[in-house]
Amino acid sequence: MRNPLKNIGPGALVAAAFIGPGTVTVCTLAGIQFGFALLWAMTLSIIATVVLQETSARIGLVTQKGLSQVLRAQLPDGILRKFILGLVLAAIVIGNAAYEGGNISGGVLGLQALGNNGVLNMGSFSINWYSLLIGAIAFVLLFIGNYKVLEKVFLIMVILMSVSFVVTAILTKPDLLALLKGSLIPSFPDGSILMIVALVGTTVVPYNLFLHASLVNQKWKNKKDLPAARRDTIVAVILGGLVSMCVIVAASALNGSAVTGATGLAQSLEPLYGSAARYCIGLGLFAAGITSAITAPLAAAYVAQGCLKLGEGLKSTYFRMTWMIILILGVGLAAFGIKPVEVIQFAQVANGILLPVIAGILIWLANRSELLGSYRNSKLKNTISIFILVVTVILGGRAILNVFGLI
C-alpha cells in the first residue's frame, strides 16, 4: 500500500493493446449510431475479457511459460497440435503484420487531429513522416528489450488515453441516468446486432491472451503473487473498458450524424465543446495507435518464439527479427497508404477460427490438475467460461461470414 505503483504489472500493456484505433473507431460508430443503447455490450465485454485474461495470466504465472509454449507441451504430438500451432502462428503473426499498418495509421490520425497532416510531397512521390516517427519510437522501445521500461511507458500511455477520453466524455455533459441504464440493461435497437458483436470482438482479442501469459512471468516468479496478478488484470481491463465506454459516450453527443471515425469525431466536437475536445480525442487516438503498434509485434514475437521453440528472452536474435519484420511492414504500409486487403481478410478468417479454439483450450488447460494443481478453475469460473466460449463461437462465425460477404 505504501507504493501502489510497485504492484502494477502487465495489465497496463493488455489494456493498451485492446484500446487500439480499431476499438476507438468501433466505439465512435456505436455512439453515433445508437447513443448509450449499446453500453451494456461493453459491460459484457469487460466481464468476458477479465475472465479470459485472468485464466491466461494464471496459466502463465503458475507454469512460468508463455501460452504457446504451454500449448506445445500439453497438446499430444500429431495433426491436432500441428493444426492448432499453425493456426496460432497464422492468426497472430501474419494477422498482426497485416493489422500493424492500421495501428500506426491510427496514431498518425491522432497527430493529424492536433494540426499538421505530416505528409511530405516530393514531386509525384509522397510519404507520411508521422508513420516513420511512430515506427521509430516503437523500434527503440522494443529494441531496448526491458520489460520494466515497457511497463512504465505503457502505464503513461494508458493514463494519457484515460484522461483524454474521460475528459472528452465529461465535456459532452451526458445524462447520467441514461448512461447507467444503457450500461446495465441490454437492448437491441434495429440494425444493432453486428455492432454489438463488433464491440465484444474488439475487446476480447486473441493475441492479448498470448501476450499476457508471456508478460506475467516477466513481472512475477512465485505462485503466491497470483492475487497481485489477478488484481492487476481486473483493474487494467476494467479501466480499459471504461475508456472504450467514454468514447461511446463522447460520440453519443453527435447521435445520428454522418461522422465515420475518430478524427471526424474530434472535428465535429470542436464547434460544440471547444478545442479541448479535439485535442483530447487526438491525444487519445495517438496513444491508442502507438501502444497497439508496439504490442502487436511484441505478441507476434512471443507466439513465434513459443510455437517454433526459438531462443529465449526479449533480446534473443529470433525474437527481435520477428517483431522487426512486423514493425517494418507496418511502417511501410502506413507511410505509403497501402492496404493489403487479401492478407487482412485472411487474418480475419484465421482470428475468427482462433478465438473460439483458444477460448476452448484455455478452459481445458485451466482444468488440468497436472498443470495447475490447486490453481485450476472452480465450478463458477467454468460456468462463466463456457458462456464466454459460446460468445466467442458467435464472434468467430460472424468474422468469417463477414469476410466472405455473407452478412
Side-chain angles (χ1 to χ4, degrees), residues 1 36 99 103 109 114-115 140 147 174 183 186 196 222 236 242 268 295 308 365 374 379 386 389 396 403:
M1 293 301 292
F36 296 159
Y99 299 140
N103 293 332
L109 289 174
L114 300 177
V140 169
Y147 168 74
S183 301
I196 291 168
N222 198 303
L242 290 175
S268 299
T295 53
L308 302 176
L365 291 174
S374 60
K379 288 182 180 179
I386 290 169
L389 176 60
V403 167

Side-chain angles (χ1 to χ4, degrees), residues 170-253:
I170 292 172
L171 286 173
T172 63
K173 299 178 181 178
D175 181 334
L176 295 182
L177 187 60
L179 192 156
L180 189 63
K181 180 182 176 183
S183 301
L184 300 177
I185 302 175
S187 62
F188 301 86
D190 290 342
S192 66
I193 298 299
L194 288 182
M195 185 60 74
I196 291 168
V197 173
L199 285 170
V200 179
T202 197
T203 308
V204 185
V205 183
Y207 87 72
N208 260 353
L209 299 171
F210 290 87
L211 183 65
H212 203 172
S214 294
L215 290 175
V216 76
N217 52 62
Q218 300 276 337
K219 174 74 176 181
W220 293 292
K221 302 294 183 183
N222 198 303
K223 294 174 185 177
K224 69 179 183 181
D225 293 318
L226 190 57
R230 187 173 287 125
R231 284 193 299 271
D232 175 63
T233 301
I234 293 170
V235 170
V237 172
I238 290 176
L239 177 60
L242 290 175
V243 170
S244 297
M245 293 174 89
C246 283
V247 177
I248 296 175
V249 171
S252 298

Side-chain angles (χ1 to χ4, degrees), residues 28-146:
T28 297
L29 296 177
I32 288 171
Q33 294 173 21
F34 302 104
F36 296 159
L38 301 186
L39 283 171
W40 67 268
M42 281 307 308
T43 303
L44 175 65
S45 301
I46 292 169
I47 295 169
T49 305
V50 165
V51 172
L52 290 178
Q53 294 293 160
E54 188 278 334
T55 303
S56 178
R58 180 160 31 105
I59 292 170
L61 195 151
V62 172
T63 64
Q64 286 295 295
K65 293 179 181 178
L67 194 54
S68 53
Q69 291 173 304
V70 174
L71 285 177
R72 172 176 277 280
Q74 292 294 312
L75 291 170
D77 193 14
I79 294 174
L80 178 62
R81 185 168 79 167
K82 290 176 181 176
F83 169 75
I84 291 176
L85 292 179
L87 178 62
V88 168
L89 273 171
I92 306 296
V93 178
I94 298 175
N96 284 9
Y99 299 140
E100 182 68 353
N103 293 332
I104 294 173
S105 296
V108 169
L109 289 174
L111 291 175
Q112 289 176 335
L114 300 177
N116 191 286
N117 64 10
V119 176
L120 288 176
N121 294 306
M122 295 169 280
S124 59
F125 181 77
S126 64
I127 187 171
N128 193 306
W129 68 269
Y130 282 160
S131 301
L132 303 180
L133 173 64
I134 292 171
I137 294 170
F139 184 93
V140 169
L141 289 171
L142 286 168
F143 194 82
I144 289 171
N146 187 307

